[in-house]
Amino acid sequence: MSDMRLVVVGAGGRMGRALVRAVTETNGARVSGAVEREGSEFLGADAGELAGVGNLDVSITLDPQSAFAAADGVLDFTAPMASLAFANLAAEASIVHVIGTTGWAEGEDLPLHDAARQARIIKSGNMSLGVNLLAALVRKAAQALDEDFDIEVLEMHHKHKVDAPSGTALLLGEAAAEGRDISLADRSVRSRDGITGARNAGDIGFATLRGGSVIGEHSVIFAGEGERIELTHRAEDRQLFAKGAVKAALWGFHQKPGFYSMADVLGLND
Ligand SMILES: NC(=O)C1=CN([C@@H]2O[C@H](COP(=O)(O)OP(=O)(O)OC[C@H]3O[C@@H](n4cnc5c(N)ncnc54)[C@H](OP(=O)(O)O)[C@@H]3O)[C@@H](O)[C@H]2O)C=CC1
Ligand SMILES: O=C(O)C1=N[C@H](C(=O)O)C[C@H](O)C1
């Protein structure tokens, strides 16, 4: 069988380069196109050279439509507005669209479900096996522990990250809310400053740290009277997310059009 042809959008970014590396290291997949946006200093560069894997004869272009027309899938770790536009193009081309982009405002990602009528969309705030397994454990712990245990989600990322809380923190908060059978939107506390009053039982709190080169660290803390349970994941290498995204693309190749999560890819929903 021929290799799955994958386009990397945002190919000059931190994840874009990691994705190009991951595809070249995966049997059954190859980089068929690379896209950046207007004004990018990387336009015209070879995607492989930029990613440090040698010349792939794939120039970074401004033209996602042509790249998608000659591809089986797209790997997209860019920004919400860009991912919405790429989803429409992926639907037109009826290909797989793996979306790792985070920083979505409430409801902003809903149009992706329309695109998923034609595209096979796999979207997750975190593409690693470890975090998706952690989410399953958090759901279970939240189910087992009542409101006497306060749930707080703590995350730290590198100084360049532009969104907060991280997509992963929200994914973990969602898992906790599902375990408690409550709506995260109704019970989340995303910042605290000044005289906040005492904590409300049942709230799910978020705290964000930013600095240096931290790849991504997340803890979900269940704080009770006299005891505390902490579930933690530490990502030590960005390739972890890129390899997960390539795995998702290969999985999506064999699925019907639809909207899927990384938990579907990893069989954690079975
Ligand atoms: N789900 C997961 O497992 C993970 C998700 N992420 C998420 O991935 C996203 C990217 O992270 P990161 O790589 O660190 O960020 P970067 O800023 O390094 O990379 C983003 C890239 O996308 C480009 N881009 C933005 N808009 C467009 C567009 N319209 N067309 C083409 N390219 C575009 C940017 O270009 P420019 O520089 O010109 O803006 C940049 O090159 C973030 O949302 C992050 O949170 C990150 C790691 C793991
Ligand atoms: O921006 C990042 O770097 C990361 N973003 C994702 C998130 O928002 O959770 C995943 C990972 O933690 C790295």
Side-chain angles (χ1 to χ4, degrees), residues 38-260:
E38 183 98 56
S40 167
E41 62 184 299
F42 304 116
L43 290 171
D46 182 81
E49 299 276 6
L50 193 61
V53 293
N55 194 292
L56 293 177
D57 209 14
V58 176
S59 289
I60 300 181
T61 76
L62 257 184
D63 184 2
Q65 203 157 10
S66 302
F68 291 13
D72 304 303
V74 50
L75 304 175
D76 173 5
F77 288 60
T78 55
M81 288 285 282
S83 293
L84 287 175
F86 292 137
N88 289 331
L89 296 177
E92 267 173 35
S94 297
I95 59 175
V96 176
H97 186 188
V98 178
I99 306 177
T101 303
T102 63
W104 300 88
E106 185 78 39
E108 192 182 8
D109 56 352
L110 288 179
L112 295 177
H113 292 268
D114 293 332
R117 285 204 284 263
Q118 284 166 273
R120 283 149 279 163
I121 295 185
I122 300 133
K123 175 175 176 284
S124 177
N126 197 300
M127 298 281 174
S128 75
L129 168 63
V131 158
N132 285 281
L133 183 60
L134 176 66
L137 298 174
V138 165
R139 192 174 300 110
K140 194 124 193 119
Q143 211 167 15
L145 302 168
D146 64 18
E147 286 191 356
D148 287 346
F149 283 81
D150 298 320
I151 303 178
E152 294 282 312
V153 184
L154 173 66
E155 56 114 334
M156 181 161 189
H157 283 87
H158 54 93
K159 62 187 173 189
H160 304 289
K161 186 162 178 63
V162 296
D163 56 306
S166 70
T168 309
L170 293 171
L171 178 159
L172 295 170
E174 203 60 70
E178 279 168 26
R180 281 253 165 106
D181 202 18
I182 56 171
S183 148
L184 182 64
D186 293 346
R187 304 309 302 268
S188 73
V189 176
R190 306 226 334 204
S191 65
R192 296 186 180 103
D193 187 23
I195 309 294
T196 60
R199 192 184 197 287
N200 290 319
D203 281 350
I204 297 179
F206 290 85
T208 300
L209 304 176
R210 292 284 176 268
S213 58
V214 177
I215 302 286
E217 299 194 358
H218 294 87
S219 291
V220 181
I221 302 164
F222 295 83
E225 287 299 324
E227 61 180 335
R228 201 162 70 237
I229 301 159
E230 300 187 358
L231 300 173
T232 297
H233 180 266
R234 293 192 180 88
E236 294 172 354
D237 189 337
R238 210 162 258 119
Q239 279 317 114
L240 199 69
F241 312 127
K243 284 183 183 159
V246 178
K247 187 184 182 110
L250 290 168
W251 178 88
F253 203 18
H254 304 290
Q255 309 305 316
K256 291 187 297 218
F259 194 86
Y260 302 98

